[in-house]
Amino acid sequence: LYHETASNPWNFIGSSNQILPNYFSHNTPTNLVNHYTAVQEDSCNLFSDSSIVHSTILLGSTTPDFQKVDLNWTRYYGWNNVGSYDIFRSEDGAPYQLYDSVAGDILSYQDSNLCNVLYSYYVVANHPAENFQSRSNKSSIVPDFVVYTSPIDVEHTSVSINENIITRWNAPIQSDLTYYNIDRWDDYSEWVINYDHISGSAYIDTNVNVNVK
């Protein structure tokens, strides 16, 4: 069995004189693409041609925007084509679980609506016909996240068409994951906690008497 990387030429890494088991374990860094090929030698010391080169999958992760992770990986080489890629995910140190699958000609994936914890991923290439699989390296990342420790910047509160009251504030980012809790105060009820909630950056209160505070 021979091994190569982008920075190291082909070199012999091991052999076996047994037909079974027909696998070989190689202790090598996984944060790069590793290429392998095999050669058969008979009892007369004659060698076959090299096998088709098989190359491992290299997975990387980035956080292009708040609460998002982009996954990109190299194609698995050695088969005519890949049937599909399975994406496995671990959230905050939990066990890995199958999270999603994409077609074999897709080499990227975006995960969204994430929290500010560690997410770890690996992908598995599936052979289109046989029960063969190849697994990538693992890639871990904490997505960009806005922690709301400062008060919201309320722009104004105004009576609208003499019936409703509209309150508008500045939203630093738009997120599908979060929403705003609305607390309300009036002279009769005083503070009503969690009066309502909304995902946008403006709230119209229709249950009001605009002639009182």
Side-chain angles (χ1 to χ4, degrees):
L1 187 66
Y2 293 83
H3 171 253
E4 180 197 47
T5 66
S7 58
N8 291 298
W10 287 107
N11 65 93
F12 174 77
I13 59 172
S15 64
S16 173
N17 59 5
Q18 297 180 353
I19 297 177
L20 294 175
N22 58 346
Y23 62 86
F24 189 88
S25 180
H26 184 211
N27 185 14
T28 188
T30 60
N31 60 344
L32 72 170
V33 177
N34 291 272
H35 310 285
Y36 294 89
T37 188
V39 173
Q40 294 186 88
E41 180 184 4
D42 63 20
S43 58
C44 298
N45 297 323
L46 298 176
F47 292 90
S48 70
D49 291 335
S50 299
S51 70
I52 295 173
V53 174
H54 285 250
S55 304
T56 58
I57 306 165
L58 179 61
L59 172 67
S61 57
T62 58
T63 175
D65 203 351
F66 296 108
Q67 300 174 244
K68 294 180 180 178
V69 165
D70 278 356
L71 302 177
N72 293 275
W73 58 90
T74 58
R75 182 187 184 278
Y76 181 78
Y77 286 97
W79 308 328
N80 290 334
N81 55 73
V82 175
S84 63
Y85 290 99
D86 294 335
I87 300 164
F88 289 80
R89 188 182 82 171
S90 166
E91 181 176 352
D92 201 20
Y96 283 90
Q97 294 183 344
L98 176 62
Y99 185 67
D100 208 347
S101 297
V102 297
D105 59 347
I106 296 177
L107 301 176
S108 62
Y109 184 85
Q110 184 172 89
D111 200 4
S112 58
N113 293 342
L114 303 176
C115 297
N116 57 334
V117 298
L118 182 70
Y119 290 87
S120 301
Y121 303 86
Y122 67 85
V123 299
V124 173
N126 297 298
H127 191 276
E130 304 294 338
N131 189 27
F132 304 146
Q133 291 184 318
S134 178
R135 195 171 96 169
S136 75
N137 60 304
K138 295 177 180 178
S139 184
S140 300
I141 192 170
V142 176
D144 288 340
F145 193 86
V146 175
V147 179
Y148 295 101
T149 56
S150 300
I152 293 173
D153 181 18
V154 176
E155 295 177 348
H156 65 268
T157 296
S158 175
V159 174
S160 174
I161 61 175
N162 208 38
E163 294 180 357
N164 307 320
I165 294 178
I166 181 170
T167 302
R168 189 180 300 275
W169 56 90
N170 179 38
I173 64 167
Q174 296 294 327
S175 169
D176 295 332
L177 182 69
T178 58
Y179 59 87
Y180 298 97
N181 275 327
I182 307 297
D183 300 336
R184 193 183 84 164
W185 189 93
D186 60 44
D187 287 336
Y188 179 76
S189 302
E190 297 186 345
W191 280 112
V192 179
I193 306 301
N194 294 331
Y195 174 74
D196 205 349
H197 65 271
I198 190 171
S199 58
S201 57
Y203 180 73
I204 299 177
D205 193 354
T206 60
N207 185 28
V208 293
N209 181 352
V210 298
N211 298 310
V212 299
K213 291 178 63 178

